[in-house]
Amino acid sequence: MRMFQRTALPWARERGHKGATLQRRLILFFALVVVCVILAFTLLLSLFGITGGGGQAVSHYLDSELGHIAQAVSDDLGGLSLTGVALSETLSARGDSYFEEQGFHAGELAEHPEALEGLLAAQMPAVLAAAENNDCGGVFIVLDASVNPDAGKAEQGRAGLFVKKTQPVSLSPLTVKTYWLRGPAAVAREFGVELLGQWEMEYSLSETSFLTTVMDTARQNPKAALSRLYHWTGRMCLEGNSEEGILLCLPLRASDGTVYGVCGIEVSDRMAKLLYRPNDGDYSDVFSVVAPLYGDVLRADRGLMAGNTYLTGSQLTQELTQTGAFRGFPLFSGQDAVYGGAYRSIRLHPEDSPYAGEAWAVAVLMPEESLSAAVRGRTGYLYLIVGGLLIISLIACVFVSRHYLHPIHKGLSSIRERGQGAESAGSGIWEIDDLFAFLARKDEAHEAVLRQRQSEMDSLRSEHERARTEISRLAYSRKQEIDPDSYAMFLENLGRLTETERAVFACYLEGKGTKEIMALLGFKENTLKYHNKNIYSKLGVTSRRELLRFAAVMKQEQGEKV
């Protein structure tokens, strides 16, 4: 209520004066500014829905998508790694039991091709359980042996099995169906698994390039735990398989340390597309990449991609090299196109693993043209609208200042140019005229106060000079009253005082009494008397009064030197 009363009071007082109040002019001016701002934001929000810069929106989108996709990849592949380790341990244990039953060692497996089918059948329950209980594209075993060891090198393969899942991600176990892509048909019939049309008895040598790498690494690290020997391969496709995928590979190691094969889990292209596809509601060309990273090279040709309409049915077959940046977004160049977005390194192998040096990355990218368009957004319209509003605002401000503030400038100019007094200069605004009159009265009062203060200061200076003269006279008189020889001996013997005696002497110089000195230094009365006696004796004085008189003269001489 008081605020409204203070606002209305000048308006009521204005009636009896010529001109308008400055308050009214300012209210009208700011009202105009507020109306312009409100209209501008209303126009922007209603017509274009502009709430921020395009670059900021794209950056927020990419960071958000990259964050949850990278986390999902790390969690899923990390979980599959643990599952793979458990599978390798189970299969290795089943292999040990089978070798013991058959009466030969794991190292002799290649010499007993007749035992390969039985070994795979013994391991089949664990393979089916791993396939049915995990989100994956399939589970496989590759043995370092062949059912046809006498065949030529070109025809020789590797025994094993591959249980393929038709749907890598399922909401219900009933929707999952497994098929037989590699392995003995008798084992498939025994466990009720249907053979695919592309079924083969064995793996070809060209399909098992990863076998040698994983087995040799395990043999070179015989004391390493299986949890340190798993390996994620780049993207590959088995002959006859309908899709590509990356493979988690682990060695099959007997209890005596013999490495006789590899087992693992496939993460298929379809699984990656279902799980790691970025939200493309705002940017239709966006896609994600999970691939090995070699320095500035993202091996998209060996990774999996998800999203983006022209990549959903295929994969990139080229490397992407980071070649620069656009508005803070890294750019990756391939043979045919340039992509930009964001990427983050992820760790798929433990730090003490032989494969720890193999880096992987998750990237969320889009074509450079799409990224550039997304960053620009509707900024062109925004700049046009803001520019128009700025021009209109400038015109309005010039008009308001000329129309409403010109009288103030005119009144001030008349004072400066004509040298008139504040009261005689009219600005046309009542508050300004009243202020001029008030300032004139304040100047007169201030000058009177200055004159009075100057008079008082002159009087104080005179008293100060008289005091200094009197002090000098008294000091000279006091110096004339003392014995020069005694005073000289006093000055000469000051250096003979002990530290405690100096402390007592300093207290006397400060004007402290006996009780104060005893309390301050923690002395008893007899102790203080003892020190007084020593001080008097060393300085050649007979009383405290004489001591203080010498000390006063000493202070006066020191002050004169300074």
Side-chain angles (χ1 to χ4, degrees):
M1 181 61 70
R2 291 184 178 180
M3 181 182 66
F4 291 110
Q5 291 176 350
R6 292 175 180 174
T7 303
L9 181 59
W11 289 58
R13 295 174 60 186
E14 178 193 356
R15 297 177 182 176
H17 297 271
K18 185 178 179 179
T21 62
L22 181 62
Q23 182 176 0
R24 173 180 291 182
R25 299 173 186 274
L26 291 177
I27 289 175
L28 293 175
F29 173 77
F30 284 113
L32 177 62
V33 173
V34 170
V35 169
C36 289
V37 172
I38 293 176
L39 289 177
F41 276 94
T42 302
L43 184 63
L44 291 173
L45 295 177
S46 62
L47 295 181
F48 300 100
I50 298 175
T51 57
Q56 184 178 3
V58 174
S59 177
H60 177 75
Y61 164 80
L62 290 175
D63 289 343
S64 176
E65 292 298 311
L66 178 63
H68 78 74
I69 292 176
Q71 187 63 50
V73 171
S74 296
D75 292 343
D76 293 342
L77 300 191
L80 287 178
S81 298
L82 295 177
T83 300
V85 171
L87 175 65
S88 176
E89 293 173 346
T90 300
L91 296 180
S92 297
R94 288 177 179 268
D96 288 338
S97 299
Y98 182 79
F99 295 141
E100 185 176 356
E101 292 174 1
Q102 298 299 315
F104 64 86
H105 298 289
E108 301 170 341
L109 180 61
E111 302 172 7
H112 296 273
E114 74 285 352
L116 296 177
E117 182 174 318
L119 175 60
L120 294 174
Q123 295 174 327
M124 189 63 182
V127 171
L128 285 176
E132 294 173 357
N133 297 327
N134 293 279
D135 294 332
C136 61
V139 180
F140 63 89
I141 295 176
V142 183
L143 299 176
D144 192 20
S146 174
V147 297
N148 190 17
D150 297 330
K153 184 176 181 181
E155 299 177 357
Q156 191 178 31
R158 289 290 181 267
L161 56 86
F162 193 113
V163 175
K164 180 70 178 176
K165 291 178 65 174
T166 57
Q167 186 173 350
V169 181
S170 59
L171 300 176
S172 171
L174 297 177
T175 62
V176 177
K177 190 172 182 179
T178 56
Y179 291 90
W180 198 253
L181 184 62
R182 292 287 187 277
V187 176
R189 288 192 295 269
E190 179 182 350
F191 288 91
V193 182
E194 182 180 347
L195 271 66
L196 284 171
Q198 298 83 5
W199 168 80
E200 295 288 346
M201 178 65 179
E202 290 190 325
Y203 294 92
S204 65
L205 291 178
S206 61
E207 294 178 301
T208 57
S209 58
F210 59 88
L211 177 67
T212 303
T213 300
V214 175
M215 292 183 61
D216 288 346
T217 302
R219 288 165 180 162
Q220 294 167 7
N221 298 272
K223 296 183 179 180
L226 289 175
S227 61
R228 297 298 180 268
L229 294 176
Y230 68 82
H231 179 233
W232 285 96
T233 72
R235 188 177 81 232
M236 61 179 59
C237 184
L238 299 177
E239 294 179 8
N241 197 358
S242 59
E243 59 183 344
E244 299 174 304
I246 60 175
L247 303 180
L248 169 67
C249 301
L250 297 102
L252 292 174
R253 186 168 60 184
S255 58
D256 61 359
T258 300
V259 179
Y260 59 92
V262 171
C263 68
I265 301 173
E266 180 195 55
V267 177
S268 64
D269 171 41
R270 187 186 309 175
M271 176 183 174
K273 285 177 168 52
L274 290 173
L275 291 180
Y276 310 131
R277 178 179 180 178
N279 181 7
D280 56 2
D282 295 328
Y283 309 101
S284 59
D285 290 344
V286 69
F287 63 97
S288 65
V289 182
V290 181
L293 180 67
Y294 296 92
D296 293 333
V297 179
L298 184 65
R299 292 296 306 272
D301 58 324
R302 299 192 62 207
L304 298 176
M305 270 145 282
N308 197 303
T309 55
Y310 63 85
L311 285 176
T312 52
S314 61
Q315 299 284 358
L316 286 176
T317 59
Q318 54 188 290
E319 299 177 353
L320 297 179
T321 304
Q322 185 174 355
T323 55
F326 169 73
R327 300 284 185 88
F329 300 101
L331 295 177
F332 291 89
S333 299
Q335 295 178 356
D336 305 322
V338 178
Y339 303 94
Y343 75 99
R344 180 182 300 177
S345 298
I346 58 173
R347 180 178 292 277
L348 297 186
H349 303 100
E351 293 184 359
D352 54 350
S353 167
Y355 308 104
E358 298 183 8
W360 284 68
V362 175
V364 178
L365 305 172
M366 64 180 75
E368 183 183 18
E369 297 80 7
S370 300
L371 177 63
S372 177
V375 170
R376 288 197 307 269
R378 293 173 176 169
T379 53
Y381 297 105
L382 176 62
Y383 294 153
L384 180 62
I385 294 173
V386 171
L389 290 175
L390 285 176
I391 294 174
I392 295 173
S393 299
L394 288 174
I395 295 174
C397 289
V398 171
F399 173 77
V400 170
S401 63
R402 287 175 62 86
H403 186 72
Y404 292 103
L405 302 181
H406 179 68
I408 300 175
H409 176 72
K410 182 179 179 181
L412 295 175
S413 298
S414 65
I415 296 175
R416 182 173 59 252
E417 295 174 1
R418 288 184 282 178
Q420 296 177 349
E423 295 187 45
S424 62
S427 65
I429 298 177
W430 174 65
E431 288 96 334
I432 300 297
D433 295 340
D434 187 60
L435 177 62
F436 287 159
F438 172 76
L439 291 176
R441 293 193 296 271
K442 292 293 290 184
D443 286 342
E444 294 177 358
H446 183 65
E447 290 178 359
V449 171
L450 288 179
R451 287 194 296 270
Q452 182 180 356
R453 296 289 173 82
Q454 186 63 38
S455 177
E456 293 175 354
M457 188 177 295
D458 293 340
S459 177
L460 290 175
R461 286 197 186 97
S462 299
E463 292 181 1
H464 178 69
E465 292 297 330
R466 288 196 299 270
R468 289 188 60 182
T469 302
E470 183 64 19
I471 290 172
S472 300
R473 186 188 65 79
L474 291 175
Y476 178 78
S477 176
R478 178 178 292 176
K479 187 173 182 180
Q480 296 299 319
E481 293 177 357
I482 64 175
D483 182 30
D485 295 334
S486 300
Y487 177 66
M489 184 176 67
F490 169 82
L491 295 177
E492 182 179 353
N493 294 333
L494 281 175
R496 297 176 54 195
L497 297 181
T498 64
E499 183 177 352
T500 303
E501 292 168 355
R502 286 182 177 277
V504 175
F505 180 70
C507 290
Y508 282 131
L509 293 182
E510 294 175 0
K512 299 186 181 299
T514 302
K515 293 183 178 181
E516 290 181 292
I517 297 174
M518 292 169 58
L520 183 63
L521 300 179
F523 289 166
K524 294 183 179 180
E525 184 177 0
N526 290 335
T527 304
L528 181 60
K529 289 180 178 180
Y530 170 76
H531 288 300
N532 286 341
K533 180 179 178 182
N534 290 340
I535 293 171
Y536 294 164
S537 175
K538 290 179 180 179
L539 299 181
V541 297
T542 58
S543 64
R544 177 180 175 184
R545 181 177 180 182
E546 187 177 6
L547 175 70
L548 294 177
R549 182 183 299 173
F550 284 171
V553 174
M554 179 184 68
K555 284 185 176 182
Q556 178 65 27
E557 290 179 346
Q558 291 175 350
E560 291 176 354
K561 291 180 180 180
V562 174

